[in-house]
Amino acid sequence: MGRIRILSDQVANQIAAGEVVERPASVVKELLENSIDAGATRIRVEVEGGGRKLIRIVDNGHGMGRDDALLAFERHATSKLRTSDDLLSIATLGFRGEALPSIASVARLLLETRAPEDEAGTLIEIAGGNILRVEDAGLPPGTTIAIRDLFYNTPARRKFLKSESTELSHIAALVTHYALAHPTRHFELHSATQALLVAPAVANAGERLYQIFGRETASLMLQTAAEMDFTRAGLPEPPPWKREEDYQPPDPGYLRITGFVAKPELQKLNRNSIYVFVNHRLIRDRLVLHALTEAYRNVIPPTSFPVVLLFLEMPPQEVDVNVHPAKTEVRFRQPTFVHDFIRDTVRTTLMNARPAASFADALSGAPYAGASASLLLDVSPMPGPPSDAVLHPQLNLDGRPMPLGALPESEGAPSFSDAESFTLNSAPVQTSPGNLSFDAAPIPVGYTQQRVVDNPTLYSLSTLKPLGQLRDSFILAVNEEGLWIVDQHVAHERVLFEKIMRERDTEQVQRQRLLMPLLIDLLPAQMVSFARIAEELERNGFEAEPFGPRTLAVKSAPVGLEGQELQQMLEDVLAVDEREQQSENADTRRRRIAASMACHAAVKINMPLEREKIEWLLSELGKTQYPTSCPHGRPIALRYSHKEIERAFQRI
């Protein structure tokens, strides 16, 4: 007998499940897409045990007859493709016919479905890929699928699942995504204890944005719309000798962009608030993320991220969605054209809104990991509803486009060559991809490397003598080394951060009782995140508890945090991306919360300080362990040495 054998259907389905079903959220995604493809207008998702115990999705779509319901669990059985040519113009969310048999092979599945024209519905029960029963049942039109005991027959896969709260947060984020993409449909998400999301159908994406994110976020969003035909991109056509007699040039179609982008003052610490849909399909594409980063370059700090709700519509033949098992990655037929169009459209919208670019990023390439509260300014009301007017952004706007052939692995900070020259320079501050390590040697600041080694910044800052403030934002000070400019906000942030860490470790946190509880509306995923970090928040002086399905009631807070700053701080610490959720340990979480508390409690720019306050701040800064950068990695002080001053006046 030979060594090579054909795998059984059950083993093949379990292998396919390893590609399609990564976690409970993957099951929800596949079933949600089936419901949307079935024309459902009401979709209800019920979850227990983070999706391990139960995932039930109920929709009012067109349902299936008995024969179709049985055939749906065969491998590669689908109603959405007929020939290989259909792969070039996929207009549905699902198309492979792998999801249902793959899910049924690793779980206990119960399908209840009825087509509107049938008198009776069909009930099918499957466990581990084996059909247990098939019978008629009295059912309403539509489909209900219940998935129980996910990975019960593959314990190794079940072992690698995260905690219930983590898996539930993935599901909550996923349902929120699809609710944003389909505003005219009704979505509900329920856990065993509460309703995490109830989003009734609305007229358009703007109303859905207001419905999910709230009035404050919606008021900081700018409406964007643009359209361009693909003829400008030079669509390839067959050569003349391959054209038939009745050949007609194909209609190139249009690339349309609609949606909302954040004003510069609305910033997040991660990409979780970037929602991009291509033909109503949720995607995570590096090309699109890079285009958005380029659009916001020199407008917001390079490691802060905007809130974006963007819908791209293009002919199906212009995008290949069959490049990833989970269908979250796509490949554009003309990536350069799509990239530049997205970049220029968003940039035109921002330029029309008069965004203020920051010069701090031009001084050094060090990224800034947080969105400081000092960047939050008064804003105008939310623009009106979308109109039929279409923007036609001009290409070649200010700022050099980056060649797509040299796209980096991840988006970095602007290089020094991208900014205008500036005579006051500092040595680059070393950074890390996550939080800074505070147990290493001090990071030097200054021009002369030998002078930095001989006189570490920790000691030189303690000798500073204040001269005054520059526009009530930057402290001017001098010592024997030269002239210093100190960012008062990040300097105070560093002082508070180390103070918070000391008090947290010694259990000496001072808290204040609020006269009236502060009620904060959160997204479903943020409510799940709160349950995970509630204990750490309590140790830092917070007393908070859920007040309804999507509201948090704060009764006590640390001294120094109140009002709007308190609310913004809590929203920041609850906005953790998926990678951090998987890798964050207790120490990382403690430092992240302390950094956010310090950022929101520190003095702001455009705030006059008395001389005694300036002297106290410089004195305390000199006592800190690492006075060269704030907890988010932004430089605190820049030095203009005597040599640089003499060279500028041509004395040497």
Side-chain angles (χ1 to χ4, degrees):
M1 180 179 293
R3 298 181 179 180
I4 299 177
R5 298 181 179 87
I6 302 296
L7 292 175
S8 66
D9 290 342
Q10 182 177 2
V11 176
N13 284 334
Q14 290 183 347
I15 293 174
E19 299 177 350
V20 177
V21 185
E22 178 185 0
R23 62 194 328 153
S26 304
V27 176
V28 175
K29 177 182 181 296
E30 297 293 342
L31 300 182
L32 264 182
E33 291 179 348
N34 285 343
S35 296
I36 294 171
D37 287 340
T41 58
R42 295 183 63 90
I43 302 175
R44 177 186 176 95
V45 182
E46 301 174 6
V47 179
E48 292 182 9
R52 287 185 177 90
K53 296 180 180 179
L54 172 67
I55 298 173
R56 180 185 289 114
I57 297 185
V58 184
D59 69 58
N60 63 345
H62 54 61
M64 294 180 287
R66 185 185 184 95
D67 293 340
D68 283 346
L70 287 170
L71 193 59
F73 291 97
E74 297 293 333
R75 292 197 68 195
H76 307 301
T78 178
S79 62
K80 300 161 187 177
L81 292 179
R82 289 293 182 266
T83 66
S84 59
D85 293 338
D86 294 339
L87 286 171
L88 303 178
S89 57
I90 297 173
T92 56
L93 297 178
F95 55 90
R96 293 195 185 113
E98 290 182 326
L100 286 180
S102 299
I103 295 170
S105 67
V106 293
R108 307 182 194 276
L109 183 147
L110 180 64
L111 170 68
E112 299 172 296
T113 183
R114 181 172 79 87
E117 64 273 11
D118 293 341
E119 295 182 356
T122 303
L123 184 148
I124 300 177
E125 184 177 357
I126 302 176
N130 299 315
I131 298 179
L132 302 183
R133 60 174 172 145
V134 180
E135 58 187 40
D136 294 338
L139 301 170
T143 301
T144 299
I145 297 183
I147 309 295
R148 298 183 183 274
D149 301 329
L150 186 63
F151 299 134
Y152 82 99
N153 56 349
T154 53
R157 298 282 307 282
R158 191 180 183 92
K159 181 179 64 175
F160 282 94
L161 295 179
K162 305 302 180 181
S163 65
E164 290 187 8
S165 61
T166 299
E167 299 297 343
L168 183 58
S169 67
H170 284 282
I171 295 173
L174 180 75
V175 178
T176 302
H177 279 68
Y178 277 97
L180 288 169
H182 302 275
T184 59
R185 304 174 193 258
H186 179 103
F187 285 85
E188 294 185 23
L189 172 61
H190 299 265
S191 68
T193 58
Q194 60 182 326
L196 294 175
L197 175 67
V198 178
V202 292
N204 52 53
E207 294 183 13
R208 181 72 96 194
L209 179 75
Y210 182 94
Q211 186 183 65
I212 292 182
F213 288 101
R215 179 179 61 184
E216 183 177 356
T217 299
S219 67
L220 295 175
M221 302 296 286
L222 299 170
Q223 179 191 339
T224 184
E227 179 181 275
M228 185 176 293
D229 60 86
F230 272 104
T231 54
R232 298 191 182 184
L235 281 173
E237 295 187 25
W241 59 86
K242 289 188 177 181
R243 300 178 185 177
E244 299 179 358
E245 295 181 358
D246 58 347
Y247 172 79
Q248 294 291 335
D251 182 10
Y254 288 85
L255 172 60
R256 295 182 177 91
I257 293 179
T258 58
F260 301 87
V261 295
K263 293 182 180 180
E265 52 265 31
L266 178 59
Q267 302 169 23
K268 297 295 181 179
L269 299 177
N270 50 58
R271 297 183 179 91
N272 283 359
S273 295
I274 297 178
Y275 304 89
V276 179
F277 302 88
V278 175
N279 294 341
H280 297 285
R281 180 188 303 277
L282 170 66
I283 67 165
R284 286 290 185 185
D285 186 77
R286 286 179 50 219
L287 180 86
V288 176
L289 291 176
H290 185 269
L292 293 172
T293 301
E294 288 297 302
Y296 277 90
R297 184 180 290 276
N298 292 338
V299 176
I300 64 175
T303 48
S304 294
F305 303 96
V307 177
V308 175
L309 176 59
L310 211 59
F311 299 94
L312 277 68
E313 296 182 16
M314 63 184 69
Q317 61 269 21
E318 289 292 335
V319 57
D320 185 3
V321 300
N322 191 27
V323 296
H324 189 273
K327 296 173 289 189
T328 55
E329 298 178 9
V330 298
R331 185 173 299 151
F332 297 104
R333 184 179 182 183
Q334 301 173 82
T336 303
F337 178 77
V338 174
H339 174 278
D340 293 349
F341 186 60
I342 295 173
R343 179 199 63 202
D344 295 332
T345 298
V346 176
R347 183 179 293 171
T348 299
T349 302
L350 294 173
M351 292 304 153
N352 290 339
R354 295 184 178 181
S358 172
F359 75 96
D361 298 327
L363 298 178
S364 73
Y368 173 45
S372 171
S374 62
L375 299 175
L376 299 177
L377 310 174
D378 293 335
V379 296
S380 60
M382 182 181 177
S387 63
D388 294 333
V390 177
L391 299 177
H392 293 279
Q394 297 180 356
L395 301 180
N396 300 325
L397 294 174
D398 58 334
R400 299 189 303 273
M402 182 176 183
L404 290 182
L407 288 180
E409 286 298 320
S410 61
E411 295 77 22
S415 64
F416 185 79
S417 61
D418 293 334
E420 298 179 358
S421 60
F422 193 77
T423 56
L424 186 60
N425 297 296
S426 68
V429 179
Q430 301 175 4
T431 61
S432 64
N435 292 335
L436 293 178
S437 174
F438 295 98
D439 54 359
I443 302 173
V445 167
Y447 242 99
T448 307
Q449 294 299 325
Q450 181 179 2
R451 190 67 177 266
V452 172
V453 173
D454 295 339
N455 299 285
T457 303
L458 177 63
Y459 302 103
S460 60
L461 286 179
S462 61
T463 63
L464 289 179
K465 297 180 180 179
L467 299 178
Q469 285 180 282
L470 177 62
R471 292 196 173 185
D472 296 332
S473 302
F474 301 94
I475 298 172
L476 300 179
V478 294
N479 63 2
E480 295 181 355
E481 294 184 3
L483 174 67
W484 292 77
I485 301 179
V486 180
D487 188 327
Q488 64 189 33
H489 169 70
V490 295
H492 195 203
E493 187 178 347
R494 162 55 60 184
V495 173
L496 292 178
F497 174 80
E498 295 195 10
K499 177 175 179 290
I500 292 170
M501 292 293 292
R502 288 194 305 268
E503 292 180 349
R504 161 65 173 78
D505 293 338
T506 58
E507 298 183 356
Q508 296 179 348
V509 178
Q510 298 181 2
R511 68 177 69 192
Q512 57 186 357
R513 189 84 177 177
L514 304 182
L515 294 178
M516 294 290 293
L518 176 64
L519 301 181
I520 303 175
D521 293 328
L522 300 175
L523 296 175
Q526 291 177 323
M527 289 296 294
V528 176
S529 298
F530 168 74
R532 184 173 57 254
I533 67 172
E535 181 178 357
E536 182 61 32
L537 288 175
E538 196 278 333
R539 293 183 178 180
N540 280 278
F542 290 90
E543 182 182 351
E545 61 184 15
F547 187 76
R550 292 179 53 187
T551 304
L552 191 66
V554 183
K555 300 179 179 179
S556 299
V559 174
L561 278 175
E562 58 186 10
Q564 188 69 18
E565 296 295 339
L566 173 59
Q567 178 175 343
Q568 293 171 357
M569 176 264 159
L570 287 173
E571 290 177 350
D572 285 347
V573 299
L574 293 175
V576 182
D577 62 14
E578 297 178 3
R579 292 183 180 179
E580 291 182 5
Q581 289 180 7
Q582 297 175 3
S583 60
E584 189 178 63
N585 54 31
D587 182 68
T588 304
R589 184 182 299 116
R590 180 168 63 251
R591 292 181 179 277
R592 177 172 62 86
I593 293 175
S596 183
M597 292 172 58
C599 179
H600 290 279
V603 297
K604 306 300 183 291
I605 63 172
N606 301 320
M607 180 180 292
L609 300 179
E610 299 177 357
R611 184 177 182 85
E612 292 77 13
K613 180 70 173 180
I614 295 176
E615 291 176 348
W616 173 87
L617 181 57
L618 294 178
S619 175
E620 293 298 314
L621 180 62
K623 298 176 184 178
T624 57
Q625 189 175 8
Y626 292 95
T628 58
S629 62
C630 76
H632 299 114
R634 194 166 68 178
I636 293 175
L638 299 173
R639 183 187 64 175
Y640 206 0
S641 68
H642 280 297
K643 285 188 177 181
E644 292 299 322
I645 295 175
E646 291 174 350
R647 186 180 296 114
F649 284 97
Q650 301 181 6
R651 291 189 173 273
I652 58 173

